Amino acid sequence: MSASRRSGTTDELGPDEPERDGGPDGVGGSDLLAALLDGMDAALCAFDADGVVTHWNREAERILGWTAAEAVGRHGLAGWAVRRADAEEVEGRLMSAMRAPGRQVNEFALLTKEGGRVLVRTQSAAVRGPDGKPAGVYCAFSEVHAQIDLERSIALSEALFEDASWGVVLVDADLRPAVVNSHAARALGTGRTAVLGRPLGELLAQGVEELEAALTHVLAEGAPPAPAEIWVSVRTPEGNLRRCWRSGFLRLASPLTEEPVPLGVGWLFQDVTEAKQIEQEASLLRFRAQQLHRAARAAAECEDPRDAATVHLDFALAGFADHALVDRVAGGSLNDPDGAGVRATAVRLVRVAATPTGAPGPSLLTGAAGLPVRYGEGHPALQCVERIGSVRASIGTVPPEQAREWARVRQWPTDAVHALCAVLRSRGRTLGVVTFLRGAGRSQFERSDSIYAEDVAVRIAAALDLAGAAGEK
């Protein structure tokens, strides 16, 4: 149905000229205008200088129920689209747009064909004739709630990309950032424009594969039902920074197509690194406390105190180290009444227990022959005895051959690259050293690890001291 008046009056939205074919398909100018008007998302009507309706599109028909045939040609809106009591004010404000520059925005209550009322927001502006003088007014309108929804969507988008306290990134179908807010740019260690169009691999040193897999899944399947926690390493001038981002994903599709066409993915994230680290530390502390408790209960059932020492050693290894060694001071113990330590060069250590170096299994008691271990000067175990405190050692990042030689020289299993020695103390005496060893697949020992090792060492020392006291009797 044509949205404009085709006869009887001149079309005030364009010059008065004869219709002509628009091309091989014979599309005329009026047909094209009608198609454009009917395809608009907004309702549109137009008036000539006398206030007669000249145009009425399908969206206006959808909102109010009046067809173009019923609307075009009417003088004003009174009695059919507007209550007569409101008509003078409404029409006066609409027609005043002919004499005002730019567009005017108003809100009116219009009548539907069924007699209901619809609150609409209008934008009206003058239509100029060929001579440049006002020839009428066009008015585009939409239901207020729809307009408010649109404004809210726009306001939300602007707020997300300006003031949001979490990272927001729009990723295109090629998995490259297209829009980035300030928070996300800071988290990525770069500026908002510098990140655009760059592959994620240039921004992240680790975690890229997991993140890209999540984005690809969202493009293909849609948003996941819950946020995902992704560990990444961000490239910064100071080095790689490991972070945990709690991420949510939304698939973006074009609203202008009949079938959804993916435009990319909306990625929202928060940095939860500190909370995750606190959670992991608390979980680790609970686990280690449980291990100490289980070890104490198991050791209490051992008749031989030396067996109790190996029980403590075995329970301590779980999730903590790959190997463990217990070395006893030759002769039993070293007295240190002044707490000043002893000279390590005068100390000889005898291996009394060790974990198997081949297949996994319980720790084994050794050292029946009483032969000292060939520890060289400056060995971490000897330093531990001298200082009466924990000693940490690590080979760092070196070729495998050099790492194996480092361990062999220290009389440790050849796959050891990190070591932690804790002194065995009981009744004010130094009884020996317990050494925990980690392979290349684990991180270095830290201060929290030293505290746990010292707790285990106290229990092993008490068992060995009891074994020595029993032997003396």
Side-chain angles (χ1 to χ4, degrees), residues 264-340:
V265 176
W267 171 32
L268 294 81
F269 66 90
Q270 278 187 313
D271 193 321
V272 294
T273 307
E274 183 176 352
K276 290 299 294 183
Q277 289 175 341
I278 293 174
E279 180 183 331
Q280 290 175 351
E281 290 173 1
S283 177
L284 183 61
L285 287 175
R286 287 194 301 270
F287 174 75
R288 289 179 175 177
Q290 291 171 356
Q291 288 297 98
L292 291 174
H293 175 72
R294 295 189 185 106
R297 290 178 62 89
E301 303 301 323
C302 296
E303 295 184 4
D304 188 341
R306 295 180 302 170
D307 292 335
T310 61
V311 165
H312 285 292
L313 196 63
D314 292 334
F315 273 91
L317 279 178
F320 183 68
D322 298 315
H323 306 286
L325 313 170
V326 176
D327 298 324
R328 183 76 184 265
V329 172
S333 64
L334 295 173
N335 293 323
D336 184 29
D338 299 328

Side-chain angles (χ1 to χ4, degrees), residues 1-6 13 30 33-39 44-46 53-58 67-69 72:
M1 180 66 190
S2 174
S4 64
R5 201 172 38 164
R6 291 175 180 260
L13 291 185
S30 297
L33 176 60
L36 290 173
L37 295 179
D38 284 341
L44 184 136
C45 64
V53 178
T54 60
H55 293 77
W56 191 267
N57 72 349
R58 290 187 184 277
T67 66
V72 173

Side-chain angles (χ1 to χ4, degrees), residues 16-27:
D16 187 9
E17 60 183 15
E19 294 185 7
R20 56 180 178 268
D21 291 342
D25 296 331
V27 178

Side-chain angles (χ1 to χ4, degrees), residues 60-81:
E61 177 182 341
R62 185 194 68 79
I63 294 175
L64 298 180
W66 300 98
T67 66
E70 294 170 323
V72 173
R74 289 179 180 263
H75 190 283
L77 303 174
W80 63 284

Side-chain angles (χ1 to χ4, degrees), residues 44-371:
L44 184 136
C45 64
F47 306 87
D48 63 15
D50 298 325
V52 176
V53 178
T54 60
H55 293 77
W56 191 267
N57 72 349
R58 290 187 184 277
E59 185 64 13
E61 177 182 341
R62 185 194 68 79
I63 294 175
L64 298 180
W66 300 98
T67 66
E70 294 170 323
V72 173
R74 289 179 180 263
H75 190 283
L77 303 174
W80 63 284
V82 177
R83 293 193 314 170
R84 291 191 181 279
D86 302 332
E88 183 177 354
E89 179 188 358
V90 171
E91 292 176 5
R93 291 165 70 179
L94 287 177
M95 298 307 293
S96 67
M98 282 199 304
R99 299 178 299 275
R103 293 179 296 176
Q104 290 188 338
V105 178
N106 295 285
E107 289 186 1
F108 302 124
L110 301 182
L111 294 178
T112 66
K113 190 174 182 180
E114 290 75 21
R117 302 185 71 191
V118 178
L119 184 63
V120 299
R121 180 171 295 176
T122 66
Q123 293 188 38
S124 53
V127 178
R128 305 288 174 178
D131 56 0
K133 295 181 180 180
V137 173
Y138 80 83
C139 173
F141 64 92
S142 61
E143 297 175 82
V144 167
H145 71 80
Q147 183 70 19
I148 292 176
D149 288 345
L150 175 60
E151 291 178 2
R152 284 173 177 161
S153 297
I154 296 172
L156 175 61
S157 298
E158 292 180 351
L160 285 175
F161 287 104
E162 294 296 335
D163 306 323
S165 58
W166 56 87
V168 181
V169 181
L170 297 189
V171 182
D172 62 22
D174 294 327
L175 305 185
R176 300 192 179 201
V179 186
V180 178
N181 76 342
S182 301
H183 188 98
R186 289 193 298 270
L188 292 168
T190 184
R192 292 184 63 178
T193 56
V195 71
L196 302 183
R198 294 174 59 185
L200 293 173
E202 294 184 5
L203 306 170
L204 304 176
Q206 294 179 348
V208 179
E209 296 81 2
E210 185 178 0
L211 178 58
E212 289 185 342
L215 295 171
T216 302
H217 172 81
V218 174
L219 280 172
E221 304 293 338
E229 293 177 352
I230 301 177
W231 283 93
V232 301
S233 291
V234 182
R235 301 182 191 274
T236 66
E238 295 77 22
N240 295 339
L241 184 63
R242 186 161 171 79
R243 313 303 297 169
C244 180
W245 291 340
R246 180 172 293 147
S247 303
F249 303 95
L250 298 170
R251 181 167 62 177
L252 306 179
S254 173
L256 303 179
T257 57
E258 293 184 3
E259 295 187 3
V261 176
L263 295 179
V265 176
W267 171 32
L268 294 81
F269 66 90
Q270 278 187 313
D271 193 321
V272 294
T273 307
E274 183 176 352
K276 290 299 294 183
Q277 289 175 341
I278 293 174
E279 180 183 331
Q280 290 175 351
E281 290 173 1
S283 177
L284 183 61
L285 287 175
R286 287 194 301 270
F287 174 75
R288 289 179 175 177
Q290 291 171 356
Q291 288 297 98
L292 291 174
H293 175 72
R294 295 189 185 106
R297 290 178 62 89
E301 303 301 323
C302 296
E303 295 184 4
D304 188 341
R306 295 180 302 170
D307 292 335
T310 61
V311 165
H312 285 292
L313 196 63
D314 292 334
F315 273 91
L317 279 178
F320 183 68
D322 298 315
H323 306 286
L325 313 170
V326 176
D327 298 324
R328 183 76 184 265
V329 172
S333 64
L334 295 173
N335 293 323
D336 184 29
D338 299 328
V342 297
R343 293 188 62 186
T345 54
V347 176
R348 294 185 303 165
L349 298 175
V350 178
R351 180 73 41 81
V352 296
T355 54
T357 57
S363 300
L364 304 175
L365 292 171
T366 61
L371 299 177

